[in-house]
Amino acid sequence: MTQQNIATPEHIEYVLRMGDNALILGQRLSEWCGHAPVLEEDMALANTALDLIGQARLLLTHAGKLEGQGRDEDQLAFLRVERDYRNVTLTELPNEDFGRTVVRNFLFAAFQVLLYQRLATSSDAELAAIAAKSLKEARYHLSHAGEWVIRLGDGTELSHARAQAALDYLWPYTAEFFAANPADDAVAAAGIGPAWASLEPEWEALVVPVLNEATLTVPARTPFRTYGKFGRHSEHMGHLLATMQYMQRTYPGAQW
Amino acid sequence: MYTQALDIPQPKGEPKGPRVVENADYQAEFDAKIDAGGFIEAKDWMPEAYRKTLVRQISQHAHSEIVGMLPEGNWITRAPSLKRKAILLAKVQDEGGHGLYLYAAAETLGVSRDELYEALLDGRAKYSSIFNYPTLTWADIGVIGWLVDGAAIMNQIPLCKCSYGPYSRAMVRICKEESFHQRQGYDLLLQMMKGTPEQREMVQDAVNRWWWPSIMMFGPHDKDSQHSETSMRWGIKRISNDDLRQKFVDATVKQAEVLGITLPDPDLKWNEARGHYDFGAIDWEEFWSTVNGHGQCNVDRIAARRKAWEEGAWVREAALEHARKQAAREKVAA
Ligand SMILES: [Fe+2]
Ligand SMILES: [Fe+2]
């Protein structure tokens, strides 16, 4: 452990956001197991969930070390209260149908790819290493989900309508990817990671051509804002946590 | 995960394949190959009954893998640690992969995966009854790995030498992963047994519920088994149901002792003269009632699979339609 012992609260929060994004979306995707439209997609969704849970383990372990209070990945994953989770709201939304699931995976993976690329030069060496390892996975998720966005958008009339409805629903939530509070400036200044807003133009450049190929209409930005990354979540979050935390809350202190 | 009822009869609507002409010379060549312990390949001539038996057995096995994803999937979102969640996700994904290899092996016999799958969804095809029992606690996940994957391995190791090449090769690959699953399940239980009294009680309760269904996975007694004799002659089955069951019981008793749990059978004891463990009478009434659709989860399992299939129809149609459009565009461009 060559990591500095004392990290700033902003630094810890930045890592927690990434870890919680992976954790909560991984949790959502694992709900699909056994219920996907074809066997190959059952496996692909489980595989994406597995990658994300793997990333969450690395990131939460790292956040726990930075914090220096002896919390491990499981204590962070299962024993925080809702307000202390830092994932963007998009990741906690219910899966709904396969259309919404793949559109979300696509929008999120594009964000993750760009973030992980930028973290290669992070002043936090451990974070840079995790990002480098996870980048390959995120790229695969992006291309797999992107292919489905195109198939659905450019498929039947029904699938086009469902893909468009999913995009219309999810798009406003993506504004949160790029939102920052003053604490985030300190993170960017310390060279830990990019300022969130700086990712937006690249993200649009990555996402829009695929949506065009899928013949989908890119929604305009609206004043709608969400604040999951600052700890204010949607109504869905508590239910997700109730399920995810069930065992740890029921059997406090037990080892599994 | 696996097949039990290697020889459970299937009602009407057996999948149809290409008509095979019965021919005495071919038959002699086939018999000679079987007797020499050789492999039959997809392109080789085979008796129609051999082909039908294989289609039934391989597809039942494939369906079992797929249906088996449901009881275990039931606990992914509630797994008590991230490590266990990851292991379970990987396991269930493996089971889906087993389904894929097996459907592909069945397809070499002239049936399509979709028609086999439809037979499952409309209740014509069987799958392993073990998955008609509910997973009630986290310990069930460990016990399934230990006992159910364990019984599956016992059943399947001999199938690695099955006379039909594509099936035998699929089994080699699958068996490796199943033994990994078994070790992970056992490890989960060991960890729980080192824990609190509540955790140990949870393990014992799960063992109490899964023990008898697990030993039923080897199918009816040899004397009551309809297909066994022919399957043995064809090299599809190598070891009888009762012999496999005995092997499983003998191996499991010691593992149970190491774990520190009690197997729920008062008649289970070492028989010095036989060199094996004796065990109590199996409740075949329960076995047949579950096979015949009256287990706690039969209806729910198939309903879940049917719901996924029906709700996914628009997605599959979209993929086909997009492929058609792509092909048409490429044609115009060319
Ligand atoms: Fe397995
Ligand atoms: Fe399996």
Side-chain angles (χ1 to χ4, degrees), chain B residues 1 65 72 91 94-95 98 149 177-178 181:
Chain B
M1 156 140 343
E65 301 282 354
E72 294 191 274
K91 178 183 197 252
D94 284 347
E95 307 301 1
H98 299 170
D149 285 77
E177 293 182 349
E178 301 295 16
H181 298 164

Side-chain angles (χ1 to χ4, degrees), chain B residues 130-148:
Chain B
I130 196 78
F131 301 119
N132 291 319
Y133 292 86
T135 48
L136 302 182
T137 72
W138 174 250
D140 290 36
I141 298 306
V143 171
I144 287 178
W146 174 41
L147 295 179
V148 176

Side-chain angles (χ1 to χ4, degrees), chain A residues 23 26-27 30-31 33-40 42-44 46-47 49-50 53-54 56-57 60 73-74 77-78 97-99 147-148 150-156 158-159 162-163 213 243-248 250-251 254-256, chain B residues 66 69-70 73 75-87 89-90 92-94 96-100 103 113 136 138 188 191-192 195-196 198-199 202 304-305 308-309 311-319 321-322 325-326 329:
Chain A
L23 173 68
Q27 173 73 9
S30 68
E31 293 170 12
C33 189
H35 307 285
V38 281
L39 188 48
E40 284 81 354
D42 243 329
M43 293 171 65
N47 192 48
L50 181 58
I53 296 299
R57 294 183 65 192
L60 293 179
E73 59 181 49
D74 287 332
F78 297 104
D97 64 356
F98 185 77
E147 282 166 20
W148 271 109
I150 292 168
R151 275 186 209 115
L152 298 182
D154 184 46
T156 63
L158 176 64
S159 72
R162 289 194 174 170
E213 194 183 338
T243 303
M244 188 173 79
Q245 296 183 337
Y246 161 63
M247 291 294 289
Q248 287 276 347
T250 310
Y251 303 97
Q255 296 299 306
W256 303 94
Chain B
I66 303 311
M69 294 169 81
L70 296 169
W75 277 92
I76 295 176
T77 55
R78 290 176 293 169
S81 74
L82 292 184
K83 177 183 138 189
R84 296 289 175 199
K85 195 189 288 287
I87 289 172
L89 267 167
V92 178
Q93 203 187 336
D94 284 347
H98 299 170
L100 280 182
Y103 284 123
R113 175 169 134 194
L136 302 182
W138 174 250
L188 184 162
Q191 176 73 42
M192 284 183 74
T196 64
E198 278 169 310
Q199 285 176 295
M202 205 189 286
R305 272 299 173 188
W309 189 245
E311 288 181 356
W314 70 276
V315 174
R316 298 190 300 276
E317 280 157 23
E321 182 59 21
H322 172 68
K325 285 183 184 176
Q326 279 289 76
R329 280 191 289 256

Side-chain angles (χ1 to χ4, degrees), chain B residues 146-282:
Chain B
W146 174 41
L147 295 179
V148 176
D149 285 77
I153 294 164
M154 277 301 172
N155 261 332
Q156 289 171 191
I157 292 230
L159 290 173
C160 297
K161 285 186 258 161
C162 156
S163 63
Y164 188 56
Y167 190 28
S168 114
R169 288 188 290 274
M171 289 320 307
V172 170
R173 213 168 148 182
I174 290 172
C175 279
K176 276 190 202 137
E177 293 182 349
E178 301 295 16
S179 45
F180 194 55
H181 298 164
Q182 190 194 22
R183 263 178 285 145
Q184 287 172 324
Y186 193 68
D187 174 73
L188 184 162
L189 297 175
L190 276 175
Q191 176 73 42
M192 284 183 74
M193 291 305 287
K194 279 189 270 178
T196 64
E198 278 169 310
Q199 285 176 295
R200 286 194 288 277
E201 200 181 303
M202 205 189 286
V203 174
Q204 183 63 58
D205 167 67
V207 170
N208 292 349
R209 285 180 288 108
W210 289 94
W211 171 249
W212 289 106
S214 299
I215 67 171
M216 290 178 196
M217 282 174 66
F218 296 94
H221 285 312
D222 297 344
K223 60 178 168 47
D224 305 317
S225 185
Q226 322 186 11
H227 300 280
S228 276
E229 216 173 291
T230 348
S231 287
M232 288 277 206
R233 186 163 54 73
W234 279 333
I236 295 175
K237 195 166 175 54
R238 300 280 189 193
I239 307 178
S240 81
N241 292 355
D242 285 328
D243 288 350
L244 286 169
R245 185 167 13 243
Q246 184 69 60
K247 257 179 104 166
F248 176 73
V249 171
D250 290 347
T252 308
V253 171
K254 290 178 197 89
Q255 294 164 2
E257 278 165 16
V258 174
L259 265 184
I261 52 98
T262 309
L263 294 172
D265 177 359
D267 298 326
L268 188 69
K269 56 178 170 297
W270 179 251
N271 181 325
E272 192 62 50
R274 289 203 311 128
H276 290 293
Y277 282 91
D278 289 335
F279 50 93
I282 293 170

